[in-house]
Amino acid sequence: LEWCVSVPKVELHAHLNGSVRNSTLFELARVLGDKGVIVFSEVENVIMKDDRTLHEVFKLFDLIHILTTDHSTVTRITKEVIEDFAAENVVYLELRTTPKRNDSIGMSKRSYMDAVMEGLRAVSSVDVDYCPAGLKTNTFNGSTRKKMYVRFLLSIDRRESTEAAMETVKLALEMRDLGVVGIDLSGNPIVGNWSTFLPALKFAKEQGLYITLHCGEVPNQDEIKAMIDFLPHRIGHACCFDEENWRKLKSAKIPVEICLTSNIRTETISSIDIHHFVDLYKAKHPLVLCTDDSGVFSTSLSREYNLASSSFGLGKTEMFRLAEIAINFIFADEGVKADLRATFEEAVKKLN
Ligand code: 5GP
């Protein structure tokens, strides 16, 4: 595991509210428990539960959202999550989150995102570059401190309407200068229809935003087919594909964000030895190891690398290559990619 921690890594599939430290969730639950908003012991049981079906995971998210959704807490968790990724040598992070509107506390999707941005600016353990090249300052200039790139993806929740999805896309366009690079479609896969989100996703793509979709978490082959036909820039999971869709995915060469622990813990994949990572890896299909929800699934990106290495018999050279190749699939420009490649070149000298 130590070696996996020391390798520079790229994280492309991490949900903000799924990556919150348990200690922070407990602290927040205690405060709300004292106020009588929730019953602490009940919440504690839910947070500590180890194995959850995909359905139960979404119930947990509703609970986490009760704990985290006010501006100052959103700021706090953003800072902590970024610092946690930095601490395990993530050199490029695409953090995704669903902008939330909550009229009762005066929260709009924009003010939610402003709170996220404030958390990013509060990060103190590393130098963070969050602006696309050519815009604003380069925080890295002259600094010898540890550095990290952070970009944001705004998630559309499958519970949302076409209008709400469109609002999220417009917000992403508005916040491009602040490091928002794309759109994610996530949320409970048995809720909502592809046709509801398609207009907003189409518009986003036309406007040059990058798109990644949660695809194939349940065996809805019609939806999987429609999603692949849309040609997103990446997809997450790709667990329940039939043969025809699998062939389509491979020939379209759409990069896949692989979340091993998440798939096993939610029972989307019954056992690690039959995980589709193996097939994609052997076929040299573009893929990237990711955490999904490091808090909810008690994992870290280093652990995911370690798990892949031990489960699929990959040595250090292959694992390093896997970490490095992820640079090709990031939603950033060539300048950032070149800088990251240099970071990996430096690292390989030190690790050997
Ligand atoms: P947030 O967007 O609130 O920062 O992060 C939590 C949200 O991410 C969840 O409410 C859910 O919409 C989405 N999410 C997290 N993990 C998963 C997952 O494994 N599958 C899907 N489909 N959505 C997820």
Side-chain angles (χ1 to χ4, degrees):
L1 183 67
E2 234 170 83
W3 185 84
C4 292
V5 174
S6 62
V7 172
K9 289 172 292 298
V10 166
E11 168 66 84
L12 302 183
H13 188 135
H15 298 269
L16 173 60
N17 277 280
S19 308
V20 183
R21 299 171 189 162
N22 271 354
S23 58
T24 298
L25 287 182
F26 283 135
E27 201 188 309
L28 297 169
R30 223 166 262 126
V31 173
L32 288 189
D34 290 346
K35 285 186 188 159
V37 179
I38 55 157
V39 178
F40 179 75
S41 57
E42 283 175 11
V43 172
E44 190 182 25
N45 286 338
V46 180
I47 295 173
M48 289 312 286
K49 196 165 182 283
D50 252 2
D51 286 305
R52 295 182 186 90
T53 61
L54 196 57
H55 181 66
E56 284 173 323
V57 163
F58 290 103
K59 281 205 258 171
L60 175 61
F61 280 122
D62 286 342
L63 175 65
I64 292 176
H65 289 145
I66 293 172
L67 301 178
T68 60
T69 302
D70 67 80
H71 293 108
S72 62
T73 309
V74 170
T75 297
R76 171 185 174 174
I77 62 171
T78 305
K79 175 181 189 288
E80 289 181 357
V81 166
I82 294 173
E83 290 189 341
D84 287 350
F85 278 113
E88 52 153 1
N89 267 317
V90 169
V91 289
Y92 177 95
L93 166 67
E94 270 170 31
L95 189 59
R96 56 186 77 189
T97 192
T98 322
K100 294 166 189 75
R101 184 178 150 185
N102 184 347
D103 294 339
S104 68
I105 55 163
M107 180 182 277
S108 64
K109 287 192 177 198
R110 172 73 202 215
S111 74
Y112 174 91
M113 279 312 297
D114 287 340
V116 167
M117 297 311 299
E118 202 179 320
L120 169 86
R121 284 190 291 270
V123 168
S124 57
S125 66
V126 279
D127 284 342
V128 179
D129 177 309
Y130 60 94
C131 292
L135 290 165
K136 290 255 186 115
T137 56
N138 180 354
T139 43
F140 293 178
N141 276 349
S143 170
T144 51
R145 287 194 341 137
K146 195 166 159 180
K147 62 183 192 180
M148 178 191 205
Y149 286 97
V150 178
R151 299 289 184 265
F152 291 100
L153 304 175
L154 303 195
S155 301
I156 295 169
D157 187 318
R158 296 184 61 116
R159 285 179 288 201
E160 290 183 291
S161 64
T162 304
E163 292 70 35
M166 196 60 97
E167 192 189 339
T168 296
V169 172
K170 287 187 180 147
L171 179 59
L173 291 170
E174 225 178 273
M175 298 188 79
R176 267 180 157 174
D177 291 2
L178 297 168
V180 174
V181 292
I183 298 288
D184 158 56
L185 176 66
S186 55
N188 194 339
I190 59 169
V191 174
N193 289 312
W194 171 244
S195 58
T196 306
F197 319 113
L198 186 58
L201 292 167
K202 238 182 182 165
F203 176 64
K205 208 174 177 204
E206 280 161 15
Q207 294 295 313
L209 288 167
Y210 290 99
I211 312 285
T212 179
L213 306 172
H214 280 63
C215 178
E217 289 175 287
V218 291
N220 180 346
Q221 301 307 329
D222 290 343
E223 183 180 272
I224 293 171
K225 181 176 181 302
M227 284 182 168
I228 300 296
D229 285 340
F230 177 72
L231 292 178
H233 302 93
R234 295 196 308 253
I235 59 167
H237 299 297
C239 298
C240 308
F241 279 46
D242 69 8
E243 267 178 46
E244 198 190 327
N245 279 327
W246 198 240
R247 254 196 315 273
K248 262 173 102 71
L249 170 70
K250 280 183 168 171
S251 72
K253 294 195 166 54
I254 298 166
V256 181
E257 303 150 1
I258 298 273
C259 310
L260 296 172
T261 300
S262 161
N263 295 160
I264 300 300
R265 295 281 290 272
T266 57
E267 295 160 13
T268 317
I269 299 288
S270 60
S271 132
I272 189 102
D273 20 283
I274 58 155
H275 198 283
H276 49 289
F277 170 95
V278 178
D279 186 34
L280 293 176
Y281 185 80
K282 280 190 184 148
K284 296 192 169 23
H285 187 91
L287 60 85
V288 48
L289 291 178
C290 303
T291 52
D292 201 7
D293 300 292
S294 53
V296 166
F297 300 125
S298 310
T299 188
S300 68
L301 194 53
S302 311
R303 287 208 189 104
E304 295 303 298
Y305 273 76
N306 201 36
L307 179 62
S309 167
S310 59
S311 306
F312 311 127
L314 302 178
K316 287 183 179 171
T317 312
E318 287 111 331
M319 291 312 296
F320 190 88
R321 181 85 193 115
L322 194 59
E324 188 178 23
I325 214 162
I327 298 170
N328 296 341
F329 320 129
I330 66 174
F331 293 163
D333 58 50
E334 286 307 317
V336 177
K337 288 181 181 172
D339 191 37
L340 289 173
R341 288 196 184 102
T343 304
F344 275 81
E345 265 169 43
E346 274 306 303
V348 81
K349 284 184 218 154
K350 281 192 205 139
L351 287 164
N352 284 333

